[in-house]
């Protein structure tokens, strides 16, 4: 039913597309042959030799009932294909709200698998996310004092993760303190918490060695959750398979950038593209709140570009003040839905016009793009930035799906250049 050289298959359920890319590349770095799918694949999907299967869902901000249903369908598919360990991947900034969706999905997965305790951590030191005493830090500040406090869809105003998780779940949450992680006492602490009626244990980690220790302690756990860092720790705890060097994206053909994230880093990256003189078109949802006409205007603009102008950018990213004006006028959900639909239509039109390399910024944007294109999945290729791999599809399309906060300021510019970043 499955083909794995070393140990059981790791099956990953990711709550958004960019997060799936991040966790897939974390597994590949450790030598695991990793396949990535956008949505739960149909029955009969061809599965060549693999050690890890990653399913990218779009459940971070949907209704919790949909999030649960889609996640359970992914779980059933993975378990039917031999997944001996299931990993629920959420964002390293624990993106969610009091209504979910991390808690409801974890409750459903743990119930379906009859798992009494789930250990997890969103820590990702390489991206500046660390957990200490149950509090999540972004760089040197608490999550609630970071840019995430003002996130348009998932504002994070509480840094103490057990409290956040308990607001979403019917079960108790506790902490495995850093001192116990470093003394090798994770297993003892988990048993103690379980005896106290705690179902979810948030493991402190501030360095990669802490994640490695957690990975070793949780190597046999049937259900684990967290960001890509802990997934890498789990992969490191098992013998590596012989994965070939990651393939690079094609150097020929047209490229384009699509950006919808309003994170501070994406705004820097969009500005770098514009300042370099690349053609730029903004989707102005206030001026035209219709996805069809927004997309048509963008594609007409693209068709009018002259040769040699460089890879263009179509974006809806806005500074916080401008974003608030849009949300006040149209509502957050409505404006987001219009822009996601428009950018998906633009992506489809660009591919129809011969674009073979799409660089996408933002989890919701990336999800809209792969949904509009109907891309089933692809091979994890070379990284353009840490945690941002190229995804090479069977049709020849190369996708770079970037989480809003990831990458250096020049990432979008360099990844869409004639010789993409990450290619020697």
């Amino acid at each position: 039913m499955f083909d794995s050289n070393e140990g059981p298959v790791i099956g990953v359920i990711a709550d958004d597309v960019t997060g799936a890319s991040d966790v897939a590349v974390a597994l590949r770095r450790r030598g695991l042959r990793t396949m990535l799918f956008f949505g739960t694949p149909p029955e009969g999907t061809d599965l060549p030799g693999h050690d890890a299967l990653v399913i990218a869902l779009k459940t971070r901000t949907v209704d919790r009932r949909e999030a649960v249903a889609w996640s359970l369908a992914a779980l059933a598919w993975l378990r039917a294909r031999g997944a001996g360990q299931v990993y629920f991947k959420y964002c390293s900034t624990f993106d969610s709200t009091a209504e979910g969706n991390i808690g409801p999905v974890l409750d459903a997965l743990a119930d379906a698998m009859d798992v009494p305790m789930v250990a997890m951590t969103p820590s990702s030191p390489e991206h500046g996310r660390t957990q200490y005493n149950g509090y999540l830090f972004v760089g040197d500040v608490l999550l609630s004092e970071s840019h995430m406090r003002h996130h348009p869809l998932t504002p994070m105003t509480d840094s103490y993760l057990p409290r956040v998780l308990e607001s979403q779940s019917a079960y108790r949450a506790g902490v495995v303190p850093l001192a116990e992680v470093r003394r090798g006492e994770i297993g003892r602490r988990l048993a103690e918490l379980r005896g106290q009626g705690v179902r979810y244990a948030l493991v402190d980690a501030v360095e990669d060695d802490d994640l490695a220790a957690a990975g070793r302690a949780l190597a046999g756990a049937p259900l684990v959750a967290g960001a890509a860092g802990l997934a890498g720790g789990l992969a490191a705890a098992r013998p590596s398979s012989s994965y070939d060097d990651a393939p690079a994206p094609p150097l020929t053909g047209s490229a384009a950038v699509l950006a919808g994230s309003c994170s501070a880093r994406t705004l820097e990256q969009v500005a770098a593209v514009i300042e370099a003189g690349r053609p730029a078109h903004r989707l102005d949802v206030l001026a035209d709140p219709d996805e069809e006409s927004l997309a048509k205007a963008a594609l007409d603009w693209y068709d009018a570009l002259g040769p040699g102008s460089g890879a263009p950018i179509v974006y809806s990213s806005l500074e916080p003040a401008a974003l608030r004006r849009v949300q006040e006028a149209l509502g957050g959900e409505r404006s987001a839905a219009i822009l996601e639909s428009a950018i998906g239509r633009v992506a489809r039109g660009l591919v129809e016009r011969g674009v073979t390399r799409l660089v996408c910024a933002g989890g919701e944007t990336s999800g809209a793009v792969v949904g509009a294109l109907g891309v089933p999945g692809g091979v994890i290729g070379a990284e353009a930035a840490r945690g941002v791999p190229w995804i090479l599809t069977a049709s020849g399309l190369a996708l770079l799906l970037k989480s809003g906060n990831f990458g250096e300021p020049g990432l979008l510019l360099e990844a869409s250049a004639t010789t993409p970043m990450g290619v020697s």
Side-chain angles (χ1 to χ4, degrees), residues 401-422:
L401 308 176
K402 185 199 82 73
S403 179
N405 297 305
F406 280 18
E408 294 301 313
L411 175 59
L412 301 183
L413 180 66
E414 295 173 28
S416 58
T418 302
T419 302
M421 184 180 179

Side-chain angles (χ1 to χ4, degrees), residues 27-114:
L27 297 172
R28 184 197 59 74
R29 279 190 212 127
R30 296 296 184 178
L32 274 61
R33 299 166 300 168
T34 303
M35 300 185 69
L36 172 61
F37 300 97
F38 300 118
T40 301
E43 297 297 325
T45 298
D46 182 44
L47 296 178
H50 59 275
D51 305 293
L53 299 170
V54 180
I55 296 178
L57 300 179
K58 194 171 180 288
T59 55
R60 183 169 298 171
T61 57
V62 301
D63 179 85
R64 65 164 60 187
R65 291 165 296 186
E66 289 184 308
V68 166
W70 298 348
S71 299
L72 289 175
L75 173 67
W77 190 90
L78 289 168
R79 295 180 80 186
R81 281 147 191 84
Q85 184 172 59
V86 174
Y87 193 85
F88 173 49
K89 198 279 179 190
Y90 51 70
C91 188
S92 59
T93 43
F94 214 75
D95 296 17
S96 54
T97 64
E99 290 73 37
N101 284 338
I102 294 175
V105 170
L106 276 171
D107 287 352
L109 294 176
D111 287 346
M113 297 178 69
D114 195 23

Side-chain angles (χ1 to χ4, degrees), residues 387-406:
V388 187
W390 285 98
I391 300 166
L392 311 179
T393 71
S395 67
L397 179 65
L399 295 170
L400 191 74
L401 308 176
K402 185 199 82 73
S403 179
N405 297 305
F406 280 18

